Amino acid sequence: MKNKFIKSTIILILGGGITKLLAMVIKIFLTRSIGDEGIGLYMIVLPTFNLFITLCTLSLSTAISKLIAERGRGKKIILPLIPFSLVYNLILMIVLILLAPCIANKLLNNSMAYYPIMGISFTLPFICISNILKGYFYGKERMGPYVISNIVEQIVRLLLIIFIIPKLLVFGVSKAVLGVVLINVVSEFSSIICLLLFMPKNKINIRDFKSQDGVVKDVLNISLSATGSRLIGSISYFLEPVILTFVLTMAGYNNDFIVMEYGIITGYVYPLLLIPSFFTMAISTSLLPVIANNYSRGNYVYTKKKLKQALVISVIIGGVFTGIFMMIPGPLLKIIYNTTLGEKYIMAVAPFFLLHYIQGPLTSYLQAVDKSKEAMIGTLVGAIIKNLLLLVLPFFIGIWGFVVASVVNIIYVSAQHVYYAKKSLGKEKKDTWTNL
């Protein structure tokens, strides 16, 4: 078990490193293709994209991973979810198509966002099916197929951005950003094909797609609970540009300034600071099935040990990257994005992202030990605090109000997750002595 956990983590870190490197290359070509205006528009649309990704996936990969780790059944868990997810995502597509004019023109106050938001709807079924298949490999602790599919997906995305987006730019920035969104259809489809090649070659019949022993219900019970935290975060992220645009407009800032500065922070600064997250995400993904398996068996000492290891590694890696970000923010921005815009923001928020790097392992732990509700509450309260601050601070300190609100959210959510993780570990220790 120990060797399998270490092997899975190493595979995910190496694969995550390659994937992150490809993502950086993609970002370089993307920023040079669509420019600051295009990046600003894409970042305005991205919160809507993330919200509907959360809605379409329903954290199914987390639930599937947990159930497979506990029960060991793969085909009987994932196949009944396919027809359910396709029908559900068709409904989501229709809803988003109907809401697109309102989101673009009323909430975001930007008519150029209409076509990219429409394009999001066509990506949803592909993202969901890919998510389901990845959940299978998480549960089996077979990280190789997951890593390979991610690399293939990124390569396909990179090639399409290089060869397609410049041609779309002649039709305008809005059409080019629509192209960036629709590229996800092809890249996710390539990921699905790749994952299917690694699936067991067992015979499948029509009965396998029917839910047996309440499998779909069991998956949804776990996934909906886990989705709560992600959904709250996604809704909060969705509301960010809506609230920020409204408040800054009321404060006298013009729309071009708002789109530009929001694009710099969310398109350049935060993605750079989140580079270490591929390490912590790899650790979190490997941690969940291990914790779920051992916690269900009462191996509390081993559970605690694995969580501590994950947190220590996350802090060390995050600390190294934070030091680099603080020392040379300008050159890093220039190399990756061909700009130095955002240097002042990096210097201000980089130290606080150290807390952000431990949120992944803590969230995985809380989900694995059936404490998803506590994680959801922390995310909800953090989101409420952040959005309340967004309603006030920008009136006094402009775009810096958004930065401060983000930092406060990171501090609160991290502290809340640490508190409930420690509380859970304390209860486990008490239960162990009682059983003895």
Side-chain angles (χ1 to χ4, degrees):
M1 180 68 71
K2 178 180 178 181
N3 291 335
K4 199 170 186 179
F5 171 73
I6 294 172
K7 181 181 178 181
S8 297
T9 304
I10 291 173
I11 291 173
L12 284 172
I13 288 175
L14 292 175
I18 297 171
T19 303
K20 201 70 177 181
L21 179 61
L22 287 170
M24 289 174 63
V25 174
I26 289 170
K27 196 80 176 202
I28 290 170
F29 279 99
L30 186 61
T31 53
R32 283 160 172 73
S33 297
I34 62 177
D36 293 336
E37 182 185 5
I39 287 293
L41 178 60
Y42 181 65
M43 297 315 298
I44 285 289
V45 170
L46 192 58
T48 303
F49 200 174
N50 282 345
L51 173 60
F52 275 85
I53 287 175
T54 300
L55 289 172
C56 87
T57 58
L58 290 176
S59 296
L60 290 175
S61 64
T62 299
I64 292 167
S65 171
K66 189 174 187 299
L67 282 182
I68 290 178
E70 292 175 353
R71 301 181 184 181
R73 295 184 300 171
K75 184 175 73 171
K76 291 183 179 180
I77 291 176
I78 65 169
L79 291 183
L81 290 168
I82 302 295
F84 162 80
S85 64
L86 290 176
V87 173
Y88 169 67
N89 275 276
L90 177 62
I91 296 171
L92 271 185
M93 289 175 67
I94 296 171
V95 169
L96 181 54
I97 289 170
L98 294 175
L99 290 178
C102 178
I103 294 173
N105 299 320
K106 302 297 182 181
L107 297 180
L108 298 178
N109 194 30
N110 194 323
S111 60
M112 292 175 67
Y114 172 69
Y115 286 112
I117 290 173
M118 284 278 289
I120 292 170
S121 63
F122 298 100
T123 70
L124 301 181
F126 298 92
I127 293 172
C128 185
I129 299 300
S130 174
N131 195 256
I132 289 172
L133 295 177
K134 287 174 182 176
Y136 169 84
F137 290 106
Y138 294 157
K140 293 291 185 181
E141 295 185 65
R142 292 177 56 196
M143 302 307 175
Y146 163 75
V147 167
I148 293 171
S149 70
N150 274 355
I151 293 173
V152 170
E153 181 183 335
Q154 292 290 64
I155 291 173
V156 170
R157 185 176 284 121
L158 173 61
L159 293 174
L160 291 175
I161 285 175
I162 292 173
F163 293 107
I164 301 297
I165 299 305
K167 293 180 174 60
L168 291 177
L169 201 58
V170 299
F171 299 102
V173 173
S174 179
K175 300 299 189 301
V177 175
L178 169 62
V180 175
V181 172
L182 290 178
I183 279 172
N184 287 277
V185 172
V186 182
S187 62
E188 291 289 346
F189 182 73
S190 67
S191 176
I192 291 170
I193 297 299
C194 186
L195 290 167
L196 287 174
L197 293 175
F198 288 96
M199 293 291 288
K201 303 302 185 288
N202 297 332
K203 186 178 179 180
I204 297 175
N205 55 59
I206 194 67
R207 291 192 303 273
D208 294 327
F209 290 93
K210 296 181 180 179
S211 179
Q212 300 176 22
D213 302 325
V215 165
V216 171
K217 182 180 178 181
D218 291 342
V219 170
L220 291 178
N221 283 339
I222 299 171
S223 70
L224 292 176
S225 178
T227 299
S229 296
R230 290 189 60 203
L231 185 60
I232 291 165
S234 296
I235 292 174
S236 175
Y237 186 32
F238 170 74
L239 291 174
E240 269 182 16
V242 175
I243 296 173
L244 194 64
T245 299
F246 171 76
V247 175
L248 288 177
T249 301
M250 294 291 290
Y253 294 91
N254 64 54
N255 197 57
D256 290 339
F257 169 83
I258 297 169
V259 172
M260 177 67 74
E261 291 301 308
Y262 184 78
I264 289 169
I265 296 171
T266 59
Y268 299 151
V269 176
Y270 288 174
L272 182 64
L273 294 177
L274 288 172
I275 286 175
S277 65
F278 80 83
F279 287 107
T280 58
M281 184 60 67
I283 295 167
S284 303
T285 304
S286 298
L287 189 68
L288 193 146
V290 173
I291 295 293
N293 184 286
N294 283 276
Y295 184 83
S296 65
R297 297 171 183 268
N299 298 331
Y300 300 136
V301 174
Y302 187 79
T303 299
K304 183 176 182 179
K305 179 183 177 183
K306 286 295 138 188
L307 175 60
K308 284 187 174 181
Q309 286 179 350
L311 293 176
V312 169
I313 294 171
S314 298
V315 169
I316 291 172
I317 293 172
V320 171
F321 275 92
T322 298
I324 296 171
F325 296 147
M326 294 289 289
M327 288 189 290
I328 51 171
L332 286 174
L333 287 168
K334 187 67 178 178
I335 291 170
I336 299 174
Y337 305 121
N338 195 33
T339 182
T340 56
L341 297 174
E343 187 174 356
K344 57 185 178 181
Y345 299 123
I346 291 176
M347 296 295 292
V349 303
F352 298 100
F353 266 72
L354 266 173
L355 292 174
H356 188 279
Y357 302 143
I358 67 171
Q359 283 185 18
L362 287 169
T363 301
S364 287
Y365 170 81
L366 291 174
Q367 290 173 349
V369 300
D370 298 320
K371 299 294 181 184
S372 297
K373 181 180 178 182
E374 284 75 5
M376 181 182 70
I377 291 172
T379 306
L380 173 61
V381 176
I384 292 172
I385 292 171
K386 180 180 181 179
N387 286 316
L388 288 175
L389 291 174
L390 280 178
L391 285 169
V392 178
L393 293 180
F395 273 113
F396 302 99
I397 54 177
I399 195 70
W400 281 98
F402 170 57
V403 176
V404 173
S406 300
V407 168
V408 172
N409 174 264
I410 290 172
I411 293 172
Y412 174 80
V413 174
S414 300
Q416 192 266 0
H417 281 24
V418 168
Y419 170 77
Y420 278 102
K422 288 182 68 175
K423 187 176 180 180
S424 171
L425 289 169
K427 181 180 182 297
E428 290 163 9
K429 184 176 180 181
K430 181 179 178 182
D431 290 345
T432 302
W433 282 106
T434 301
N435 293 332
L436 290 173

